[in-house]
Structures are given as C-alpha cells and as structure tokens.
Amino acid sequence: MVTITTNSISGTPFATKEFEIHKKDVLFIPVTPRILSLTPDFSTSTLNLKWSDNGSAFPYGLDAFWQIQVLRKETMEKVTEVTYHSKLTHEDIILSWNWTSDLPLECMSHYVKIRCYVNVTHFVGLKDWSDWSPVEVIPGKDTDPSGSGVFPLDTVVAVGSDVTFCCVHEEGQNITNMTYGSKPYPMIQLSSRSNAIRVLNASASDASGTNVVCTYSNEMLEGTVLFVGYAPDTPQNLSCETPNFRIIKCTWKPGRPSGLYAKRRTKYSLFERTSGKNVSCEVNEMNRERVCGFPVIPDQKIYDFILGVSNPIGQTESSLLVDITQRVHPKPPEKLTVSGNNSTSVHLRWFINGSFAEIRLLCQIEISSGHSEQKLHNVSMPGGKLSAYTAQLNSLHPYTKYQFRVRCSAADHFWRWSDWSRIEYTTSEAPPVRGPDIWRERSPSGESLKIFWKPLSLYEANGKIVSHEVSCYLLETPLEHKVVTEPSNSTEIKLGKNDCVISVVAKNHAGSSPPSMMTSVDLPSDNVITGQAVAMGNGINISWDSYPNITCGYVVKWCHSSGSEPCSVDWQKYPPNTTNAVIKSALFKPGVRYNFSLYGCKSSGYQLLKNITGYMKELPPKSAPNFTVEETSSDSILVKWEDIPIEECRGFLKGYLLSFAKGEKDALKPRLSESGNPELKVNNITDLTQKSMKILDLQGKTSYQLELQAYTAGGLSPPNSLYVVTKEDSVGLIIAILIPVAVVVLLGVVASILCYRKREWIKETFYPEIPNPENSKALQFQRNICEGKKTLKTLEMNPCTPNSVEVVETQSAAPKIEDTEMMSPAADTAVPEDGSDSEMENHVVVSYCPPIIEEEISNPPTDEPGGSSQVVYIDIQSMYQPQIKSEEEPDTDLVTKAGYKPQMQLSISALNKESRSPMEEELDKTAGYRPQANTNAWNMDTPDSPGSVESNNENASFGSPCSINSRQFLLPPKDDEDSPKPINIAWSFTHFFQNKPNE
C-alpha cells in the first residue's frame, strides 16, 4: 500500500491518496555511475578510466556489469563498446579500465561514458541499465588553435605491428603528402585539421629508427621517428662463477637481438632472492655474450639469482641456483719466473690474485722444446689469500730452449682451468754426449788424407761447438794434431804412404766430447760392379748382398755437386746385418743422378764393395737423341742416332720410340703422337746398344715424318722430328710402262693372226668385189638418217658438193648433155591439148638431203642453196627420140627399154599407185637397182613430199635419197639373164652434196 499526501505551502496537508503497487510492477534502475578520472598516456595511446562502484548501497556479492563506450570526433562516432564485470562487496570500490587506441590520442578528441547494471537477485521486479554518466573527454591537438605536429612522438613498436600516424596542422594550412621512410602513403582525413596514414606490418628499423615526415603546402616539414624491434628473448646458458671469491661473474647469451639501442635498449638486472639484493647490469649490446657482476656476500656460498630482461616492447627473466665453491675459475697466473739450479733442473714461481683459503688449487705445468714432445706436470697445493706458488722441474736437457706454461683450477670441485701464462728459458751448457761422425778419403796421389766430420745436433752437442781437435796416431804415437774451429767440417793431413788411426773430438764451452776413431787403411777390391738404385720420390733405395766377412758395418758414401761448386762428401753408416737402406737428404733433387759407393768395415780397414747410381725421382729426359737419316731407298729409310748426355737423361734410360707416318713438312702440324693419324706406326727399341734402325715397307717418292723419343721411368722426352722423302721406284715405273706395251703388242699379234686366218670372210663381209646391199650391214640405215642424226656416220661424204652427176648408158653413143634445170611433171599440172606427153615427163627433179659432214668447211660457196640440192634424172634416149609411142606397144617395153632405173622411179610410181596396174608394180620390183629399205615405209607425208598438202615445193622429193650417196655407177643385177637390157638412159645429179652448216 502506498499513500501520497499533498501539503500546502504552509505545510498543512490538504489531500491524501492511497493506492496499492505490486513489486513486479516496480522498475529497478541503479544510480548513474560517476567517472572519477580519465587519464591519457600519449606515448602508448592508452586511456585509463576510474570510477566508483557504489557498492555500499547494495548487499554483498551482487554481480555488477559496466558498459563503457569510447567515442571520437565532434560527431561522437562510437569506436568501441565493452562490458566490464565486477562483484559488489557492500563497500565503495574504485574500479579501473585501460583501453589502447589504434590512433594516437593527439590526432582527435576521445570521449568516454559509462553506465551500470546490477543483478539484484532478491528483487522480483524489472531491472534496467542506469543512465549514461556524463561524458569525459580527452581533447585532441586538432582542437587547439595553435596545435600542430606528427603523432605519435618517437614511439616503439614490435616488428609486424600496424601503426597509424597523424599530422595535425594549424588553421589556414594544408597537408600535401606524408611519407614513411622514403615511401609516400595515401592520406586519410580525420578532421578538418588532421590527416593520417596507416603502415601495415612494419619491418625492423635501423638503429636510428624510421622517419615519418609530413609536408605542408608552404613546404614546411614536420615529423616523428618510429622504432621497430623485437621483445627480448629469454636469456640462454645463464652461468655464474667466481674468479677470486670477491665477485661473482654471471654470463648468458641474449638470443635474438632486439634491434633497439640507446635509451630504448634491452636492460638487465640481477636479483639474488636469498639476500634480496638487486644489481643493475651494464652490458655492451655489441657483444654476443653478456656479463654481469654480483659482489660476494660474506659467509654465503649458495646464491639464487633471477636475471630480469626488459625493453619498451616486452620483458622476460631467467633463474639459476649456484654454489660458488664449486664454480671457481681463477684468473691466469701472474708474475711467472724461472730460476736454474743446473743444466737439467729449474724452479718456477707465480702469483694468483684472490682469496682461495677455503679450497685447494690444482696447477698444471706444460714443458715443451723444439726437438721434443710436450710434457705435462700436475701440482696440487693449498690455496691462500694473495699467495705465491712454486714448483721444481727436473730431467731437463742442457742447452735447450724451453717454453713453460702454467694454469690453475680448484682441486676438489673442478670447474674450469684458468688461461695459460707462459715464459721461455734456456738451460745451461754441458759437454757433448758423443763424438762426431767421421769419414776419410785419400788424395789421388796417396800422399795426403782428407778427414770429414758431421756437425753434432743441438741435442747431442749440449751447447755451442767452438772447435774440433783432429789427431793421427801410429801405434799410439801421435803423428799430427790439429784444432779446427767452426764452421769448418774437414781438414787435410800429410801422411805420405803411411796409415794411421784418426781421432776427432768436438768441444764446447762446457767441455769435450768422447773421441771418434777410424783407421785410414783401404783394403784392395776386386770385380767391383755398378748397380742401380730405386727412386722412392723422397729418397733413394739402395740394396746390396750380405758379406759375411764384414764385421763392423757398412758405409754408403756419395757426393753432392751443384754446378761449379766443389763436391760435398756425405755418408751414412749401417750395422753389419743391414742389406738395404733408403738414403734421404735435403740436398737431393729430382732428375739428378747420384753416384754411391758401398764400403765394408773390417777390423783391418775399409773395402770398396759396390758402386751404385740412382735418382731420388726419375723425370722424363730433357731432350731426345739427335738422329739423322743415313740412307733412303724407294721402300726403306735407315736412321741413326746419338747417345743422350747423362745430365739430360734425368733417369735410367729404358728405350727409344721411333714413330713414323706420311706427312708433309708443316710448322703448324701437331706432333705425331698427338695427331691421331691412323697410319702412325711406332717402334719401341729397348736395346740401348742399338743406335740405328731401318724402316721397311715404305712407298716410293713419298714424304714421311719421323719422330724419335727417349723414355725413362719418369716419362717420354720431347720428340725430335725429321721429314724424309723416299726415292722413286724405277723398277716399278719400268714395269708399269712395259706391261701396257706388251699387252698392246700381244693384242695386235692376236688380231693380225685372226685377220689373216679369216681374211676371206672379212673380204667377203666388208669389201666384196661387187657389194650386195642386201647383205651389207654397213649399208643398213635408219629412216631418220636424212633428218640430221649426227651419230650415224655410214658412207659419210667428204665436204664436196658436185655441180652435176650424169649416169649414161654406155651402149648408146648419145652426145653428152649438160645438166639443165627442168621442171618435174608433178609440179606442172598443165596437160597439152593434144594429150601427148611433154618433154618434161622424162625429167624429174627431186629434193636431195645430203649427208651430214662433221668436218667444218672453211669457205662454203655462197651461191649454193642452203637447204637442199637437186638431182636431175635425164633419160638420154628420150631426149633425142620421139616420146610418143604406139598404142600397140606393150607396157613391158617401159621396163625392158628403160635399162637401169634408180629408186626415184619407184618413188614416182609410189606416188601414182592408184593409177598403176599390178603388172607395172611387178615389173618395178624386178627392174633396176633396189634400195635396201622398204619402199612402202618411205614417208610420203614430209613437208617437201609431193603428196603432202603442206608442201610448198614444186619439185617433189621421191623416196629415200640416201641410197644415192654412192658415187659409184649403179649396175643392174645380173641374177636374171633374161631381164631387159638397159637402153640409152642417163640421169644427172644437181648439187649432189651440200656443205655442212657450221655448228
């Protein structure tokens, strides 16, 4: 029940109203929250919001929800909205919330407001959000009339971040462009005075950062710097140790560089949790290993360290628990000195800075010299505070330069050795340990003896050798005594023909060596042979047989010689049971021959046993032998060559290679061995006594290239070349001439014999007394012979063109009639009115094709026709007898009275075949000369033939004119005795021949 009373101004109630309200109809709205503070952090673009939850007005444990909105610009555009949850505790609690903007806070104004919702569980009515609190604002630079600049200022971000930059300008100005580094970016307008650019996925910057520049319309510039790097890595391999129990040195590896330097660099701090002491570490960013020192706390051995690492992007840490008594790493020993007791013993003394009274030290001493291996001595001693330490070294070698090194560590709990400290020292001298190695040689005259000795090594000399004493004794009686100073290593004494025992003693500043003794006696030698040594590449291998009578060993002696310098004698001694040795010397050179002498030692003297030659390494001969051609023939060459000088062999000669092949002399030609000539032949000559060779089976009058090379185990020498031409093979030439001549003669004889035996057949076949054209193959023609075929030469005429040809019957005494040009009856178609034959009926003019003459006629007649000649056939009788015959006269008189008729008659008849009787055709077949060709095959359709419609020639060409090529009189056949006798018939040929046209 709810009662509402209305009071007057004086306070007197004048109206009362009572009504009832249910709980479910009551709306619960919390009190509007009040923002206590809104704080910006411009360096990180972060807003910090604080407000009171008013918890005292509510029961304990209620859930409260706070809705926070962030807005931008004057238009209050919402940027984000979040819900914050808290528990009410029946007390007023100040709550806090942080928000980081993706845009610098300076670019524009930011607004924040808040409201709440309390979940009152025992309230059954409606619940709702409170009203929004008053807006709190963080003004941007664009609201300040004089505000300008590029934001954020010198900020640091992680690699891969997205960063927004804004440029705020004053009123009346404009921004032309904005660049990040050297690259311009598109601008985003935020407000009337603010523009921005957005850089995505920023990469690591240089140590000085990346510039962001804003250019105004008045060409003024403003900018900022962005530093992009990495958050620090967790320190790796954290380790702590003490060098002197005064300070603890901790080291670690930082991992990936952050890329940030100077005031933005990574910072380290060392915190010890037991004591609570914290130390800031100053480290060098350029070192790969970081170092930080922490002071030793008295009476504390266990330390629990935390190494903290941070930079503007992030932070991390690493921890370590350490007992410093087990982590001792001393510094190198200082003030190291050496003092000598004698030539074989010294004292070492050194100092270690630090307080090691609580532990024992282990020190290691290294001894080394130039001729011996390194030796180590370990010395254990109690530690002390700022103490010096000593050690004695024995069994050293006299007059030897030593290097001593010392280092120390903890003896009980070894951790690490200190670095080395070193010093050099030379021990004092002592007398030489042995006498020098000696040898002697008599002069060629035998009057003097030269004595050689080898200098002692430094290890054997025990000091610097100053001289050698040389003595010669005969039955313990001194014959001669000499003192030879350094550096000489030989001397000569006069003995005449006497022998003696030689003694050589080496002396230094500390004393003399034991004497070296040798006799001067040389025993006679018989059948001394010379052998070859084997080259080893780094020495010369010499071997010999065992000699039973050798009692005191062998001596191998050789001589070094280089150019004009005198020979330097060297030798090597071996025990009696030795049969081979590898001689090595720094003076040996490849390709140089050395001569060795092997001596055997007996109690009575030395005997020469063997001479040996050898090379340290065999090389190819320096040059090939000089060779000449002594003799040449048509099939062989004799070659001779000379020996190669010993100094040019450079190895033991194994043989010669003689190569030859055909070839002309040419300076650009390659060597035969490199030419790849398939005809190359090589002769290997292994007999070194052979100095000539005959090359056989060569070709005559041929050039050959010869090459000669010598070879050793080291290879082939360069070749010497010759070019030789073999002689001509005269016998072969004679045979080559005689054989064809003999074959021709033999063929001539055989042909003559055959012709003689077949003479009758040849005569009958080729030149009978009366030729039969039907049987003569030589007179068989092809039909186109007249068409100018040049390959057929049968009965070819000489270049002669007769003016006329007359055939006269000898039975008639008719007068000679000169050839006159007459028209052919075929050409004249007019018939006399009386029907009698005209005089021209017995005259026929035919075209004649002369034979082709290949010989060129120099001056052809100009008045002769170029195309064809004419042959005029004249019947002599008809010229003087009447041409009209009686009708009673039989037709056969034409044949019987005609005598010999040439083939033209057949041709004329062939033209008039249709008007002829069978009797006339039969008579034609038996009358006169018959051509060998088939008359039926004659072509009558040639352009010049009488029957050709294309013929323009008035004189018809009848038959084959080739049958009249013969200049002999043609006789009728004698086979038929009853055949009619020819009567006075004659014919004339006009222009029988024609000049051959020039080709």
Side-chain angles (χ1 to χ4, degrees), residues 308-323:
V309 187
S310 64
N311 66 13
I313 299 175
Q315 61 185 8
T316 185
E317 64 181 24
S318 181
S319 61
L320 176 69
L321 184 67
V322 63
D323 183 352

Side-chain angles (χ1 to χ4, degrees), residues 12-315:
T12 303
F14 63 87
T16 301
K17 180 68 176 175
E18 292 185 358
F19 56 90
E20 184 177 344
I21 300 177
H22 298 283
K23 289 185 178 180
K24 61 181 181 180
D25 296 328
V26 177
L27 180 64
F28 175 71
I29 299 175
V31 177
T32 301
R34 184 172 60 89
I35 297 176
L36 299 178
S37 66
L38 179 62
T39 307
D41 183 356
F42 292 103
S43 64
T44 60
S45 299
T46 301
L47 292 177
N48 178 255
L49 176 66
K50 291 183 179 181
W51 71 97
S52 174
D53 64 354
N54 295 322
S56 60
F58 298 96
Y60 180 85
L62 294 181
D63 290 323
F65 298 92
W66 311 88
Q67 197 171 63
I68 307 170
Q69 282 188 358
V70 180
L71 305 100
R72 285 178 183 159
K73 300 183 180 179
E74 294 82 353
T75 58
M76 306 292 283
E77 294 179 2
K78 184 171 67 174
V79 178
T80 186
E81 181 179 280
V82 296
T83 300
Y84 184 87
H85 172 262
S86 68
K87 286 281 189 180
L88 300 179
T89 61
H90 196 59
E91 292 180 0
D92 292 336
I93 302 298
I94 297 176
L95 301 179
S96 177
W97 174 77
N98 290 327
W99 175 75
T100 301
S101 173
D102 61 343
L103 190 70
L105 301 178
E106 299 93 339
C107 297
M108 64 178 61
S109 299
H110 287 75
Y111 304 89
V112 178
K113 60 183 180 178
I114 188 172
R115 64 179 179 174
C116 73
Y117 175 89
V118 179
N119 187 16
V120 182
T121 57
H122 62 274
F123 183 76
V124 296
L126 298 178
K127 297 182 283 290
D128 200 358
W129 288 94
S130 70
D131 293 333
W132 288 102
S133 67
V135 175
E136 290 289 331
V137 62
I138 301 297
K141 291 291 184 180
D142 58 343
T143 61
D144 185 359
S146 62
S148 66
V150 180
F151 306 100
L153 290 174
D154 301 343
T155 188
V156 180
V157 298
V159 173
S161 299
D162 298 337
V163 187
T164 301
F165 298 92
C166 71
C167 181
V168 179
H169 60 85
E170 297 179 355
E171 293 287 348
Q173 289 183 338
N174 291 319
I175 301 172
T176 58
N177 71 328
M178 295 181 67
T179 59
Y180 176 75
S182 60
K183 181 180 178 182
Y185 277 73
M187 292 186 296
I188 305 169
Q189 185 168 3
L190 301 179
S191 67
S192 60
R193 292 178 54 200
S194 178
N195 289 330
I197 61 172
R198 187 160 181 81
V199 178
L200 304 178
N201 193 20
S203 59
S205 61
D206 296 333
S208 59
T210 303
N211 293 328
V212 181
V213 179
C214 178
T215 304
Y216 297 122
S217 57
N218 59 1
E219 296 185 356
M220 291 186 61
L221 302 177
E222 283 195 277
T224 185
V225 180
L226 177 67
F227 298 92
V228 185
Y230 298 93
D233 274 354
T234 301
Q236 304 294 323
N237 302 330
L238 177 61
S239 175
C240 296
E241 61 187 20
T242 179
N244 49 20
F245 285 95
R246 295 177 181 173
I247 192 170
I248 300 174
K249 185 173 68 174
C250 294
T251 60
W252 65 92
K253 291 184 178 179
R256 179 180 60 188
S258 66
L260 303 175
Y261 304 94
K263 64 181 181 179
R264 286 164 289 275
R265 70 184 185 279
T266 302
K267 298 178 180 179
Y268 300 89
S269 63
L270 196 60
F271 174 70
E272 203 283 308
R273 285 190 284 196
T274 303
S275 62
K277 190 172 183 178
N278 189 32
V279 175
S280 178
C281 303
E282 295 295 331
V283 298
N284 187 353
E285 289 284 340
M286 304 308 295
N287 292 339
R288 296 189 61 184
E289 189 176 69
R290 307 291 193 264
V291 180
C292 184
F294 190 89
V296 173
I297 299 173
D299 301 327
Q300 183 175 342
K301 297 180 179 180
I302 307 299
Y303 292 81
D304 188 3
F305 290 114
I306 295 178
L307 178 64
V309 187
S310 64
N311 66 13
I313 299 175
Q315 61 185 8

Side-chain angles (χ1 to χ4, degrees), residues 441-519:
E441 278 193 351
R442 278 195 177 271
S443 63
S445 63
E447 295 294 328
S448 62
L449 186 69
K450 191 164 187 180
I451 302 169
F452 305 91
W453 57 88
K454 293 182 180 180
L456 295 173
S457 66
L458 291 177
Y459 186 81
E460 296 170 334
N462 287 343
K464 183 178 180 180
I465 301 298
V466 294
S467 64
H468 290 83
E469 293 183 355
V470 181
S471 303
C472 187
Y473 296 91
L474 180 60
L475 299 177
E476 298 182 357
T477 302
L479 297 180
E480 190 165 349
H481 178 80
K482 281 187 174 182
V483 176
V484 181
T485 58
E486 284 291 295
S488 178
N489 62 347
S490 65
T491 188
E492 189 173 2
I493 57 177
K494 303 293 185 180
L495 287 181
K497 299 297 183 180
N498 299 322
D499 287 308
C500 67
V501 175
I502 304 162
S503 171
V504 179
V505 174
K507 298 186 67 176
N508 63 14
H509 294 97
S512 301
S513 69
S516 297
M517 311 291 290
M518 173 178 274
T519 179

Side-chain angles (χ1 to χ4, degrees), residues 901-918:
K901 300 294 183 182
Q903 75 256 24
M904 64 138 297
Q905 185 177 357
L906 295 175
S907 301
I908 297 173
S909 298
L911 295 172
N912 301 320
K913 240 179 184 182
E914 297 178 357
S915 63
R916 298 181 64 184
S917 64

Side-chain angles (χ1 to χ4, degrees), residues 734-749:
I734 294 172
I735 293 174
I737 296 173
L738 290 180
I739 288 177
V741 172
V743 171
V744 172
V745 171
L746 181 60
L747 292 176
V749 171

Side-chain angles (χ1 to χ4, degrees), residues 644-665:
I644 304 177
I646 294 297
E647 59 273 9
E648 293 189 2
C649 286
R650 305 201 298 180
F652 293 114
L653 204 60
K654 300 294 184 182
Y656 306 94
L657 292 182
L658 180 59
S659 308
F660 64 95
K662 293 180 183 179
E664 299 292 337
K665 188 173 183 180

